[in-house]
Amino acid sequence: MVLLREYFRVDVNKEERDITQRELLEKLDGAFGVVAMLGNKFDRGFISKLKTVRVISDFAVGYNNVDVKAATEKGIVVTNTPGVLTDATADMAFGLLLAAARRIAEGDRLVRAGEFKGWTPLMMLGHEVSGKTIGIIGAGRIGTGVATRAKGFGMKIVYYSRRENPDLDSLGASLVTLEELLRESDFVSLNVPLNSETRGMIGRREIGLMKKSCILINTARGEVIDERALISALKKTKIAGAGLDVYVDEPKVNREFFRLDNVVLAPHLGSATLETRARMSELSALNAIAVLKGERPPAIVNPEVLEKSEV
Ligand code: GLV
Ligand code: GLV
């Protein structure tokens, strides 16, 4: 914000909630740029009403809240914050993995309820993590970060992606088909962006291929999983558990999850560290400033807009 104030008049939403679409549209009347939060939906209809905005600087790596095609058609640059949140998000994925495997959140509830009656050999047994197989879906920066952590735990790593990633290969990971990954993995981590190919990619059939002892981790986007299928599988213990940071209808969370002890639920904390949020703030400001100064921003989603305006 300090950076932005050097160049522009800045209006900040100081409330701990997303501004409504209507309020946002009013605020954007006459504005040249917006630093957008994930709760702000820039769909085609909304974008068509923007008159002066030249840059949507998304405060996220995943920009599925913006209809990029509609923005591009209107000559609006869309930017995001890749790279700066990779480690924080990979840490979160691993934190959820450990919490679900070793029943940490469930154990915390037990202790708080005064139910800890002493150490016994069979109390709250979980799943060993070291030496197990992890399947990583999505071979981007965050998936690679998860693999780096998995290597430290002596895990066997398989991954599924449209193309081979040499960084993952050099960590000893093998590229496999989705079906092989689902069948072989003790843990599955979702690290894909949300788009038409990944929406609902983990449904009943895919969950049905997983081991009964498998734990599914999602720090990507809720819509990558068919939540109903997941809830049903967790209820019937068709898989052992899940660790979720994201949900289909955020910030609403399907209440059926609340009754299940084999799922760990986090409130979209993937990038929520002081250091990472500071870097995201800086990058989102630099992106907006560059576009409005007529320069190429550090992280652009639709570079074709700039190329068009250069000719
Ligand atoms: C958060 O979910 C992000 O995409 O940065
Ligand atoms: C995606 O952009 C990633 O950082 O993995």
Side-chain angles (χ1 to χ4, degrees):
M1 198 173 68
V2 177
L3 279 173
L4 287 170
R5 286 230 157 98
E6 281 179 31
Y7 295 90
F8 312 114
R9 192 159 64 78
V10 184
D11 192 354
V12 182
N13 172 20
K14 295 210 180 68
E15 290 179 55
E16 278 288 319
R17 65 163 177 93
D18 284 318
I19 177 169
T20 66
Q21 295 292 106
R22 183 200 290 257
E23 289 167 331
L24 183 60
L25 192 61
E26 275 169 25
K27 299 258 185 211
L28 292 182
D29 187 14
F32 292 112
V34 54
V35 176
M37 302 296 142
L38 287 173
N40 300 142
K41 302 286 175 242
F42 287 81
D43 55 21
R44 184 171 282 276
F46 190 85
I47 287 174
S48 73
K49 296 186 192 126
L50 300 176
K51 298 193 183 75
T52 46
V53 171
R54 288 169 44 209
V55 54
I56 299 170
S57 169
D58 218 18
F59 193 79
V61 68
Y63 47 82
N64 54 288
N65 57 320
V66 181
D67 184 332
V68 177
K69 194 159 174 281
T72 305
E73 284 167 22
K74 243 189 128 167
I76 298 176
V77 177
V78 181
T79 63
N80 68 338
T81 62
V84 295
L85 46 64
T86 302
D87 283 326
T89 309
D91 285 346
M92 190 67 197
F94 233 83
L96 285 172
L97 186 155
L98 290 168
R102 301 303 306 276
R103 304 171 66 176
I104 296 173
E106 193 188 343
D108 178 272
R109 289 194 291 276
L110 178 134
V111 173
R112 286 170 198 268
E115 299 286 323
F116 179 35
K117 307 284 194 240
W119 191 99
T120 56
L122 299 181
M123 185 198 157
M124 286 200 78
L125 301 186
H127 297 256
E128 189 102 359
V129 173
S130 298
K132 293 290 181 66
T133 298
I134 185 168
I136 299 173
I137 299 183
R141 286 166 289 249
I142 297 171
T144 307
V146 171
T148 308
R149 285 150 181 80
K151 190 174 157 71
F153 279 77
M155 299 177 92
K156 180 181 169 200
I157 308 165
V158 293
Y159 72 99
Y160 169 69
S161 161
R162 274 177 306 177
R163 50 188 170 282
E164 193 152 0
N165 177 338
D167 293 338
L168 274 166
D169 297 343
S170 69
L171 288 166
S174 335
L175 178 64
V176 294
T177 65
L178 181 58
E179 186 156 331
E180 284 170 323
L181 181 146
L182 296 169
R183 285 188 196 283
E184 288 172 21
S185 299
D186 300 298
F187 299 92
V188 171
S189 175
L190 300 178
N191 301 104
V192 283
L194 176 65
N195 54 41
S196 56
E197 279 173 56
T198 60
R199 187 177 297 274
M201 89 186 280
I202 302 299
R204 207 157 77 107
R205 179 180 164 273
E206 289 71 28
I207 293 172
L209 293 173
M210 295 178 187
K211 292 183 185 176
K212 213 172 141 52
S213 56
C214 185
I215 291 177
L216 175 64
I217 306 301
N218 190 7
T219 52
R221 285 292 180 266
E223 296 93 324
V224 175
I225 301 180
D226 173 349
E227 268 184 4
R228 283 171 187 279
L230 176 61
I231 288 167
S232 159
L234 289 171
K235 266 191 196 159
K236 297 182 194 150
T237 60
K238 288 202 165 159
I239 61 170
L244 307 176
D245 193 36
V246 286
Y247 307 89
V248 167
D249 193 20
E250 273 175 46
K252 283 195 216 117
V253 178
N254 190 318
R255 301 183 68 84
E256 299 242 15
F257 281 125
F258 302 170
R259 287 191 268 141
L260 294 167
D261 264 330
N262 53 353
V263 61
V264 179
L265 305 168
H268 203 144
L269 296 178
S271 64
T273 70
L274 209 52
E275 295 89 338
T276 289
R277 287 289 160 80
R279 287 193 290 261
M280 289 168 73
S281 303
E282 182 180 18
L283 181 52
S284 62
L286 292 175
N287 279 333
I289 291 165
V291 175
L292 295 178
K293 281 169 76 180
E295 293 164 5
R296 194 183 175 87
I300 183 163
V301 172
N302 56 352
E304 54 284 17
V305 173
L306 293 186
E307 280 141 26
K308 241 192 285 175
S309 61
E310 271 160 18
V311 286

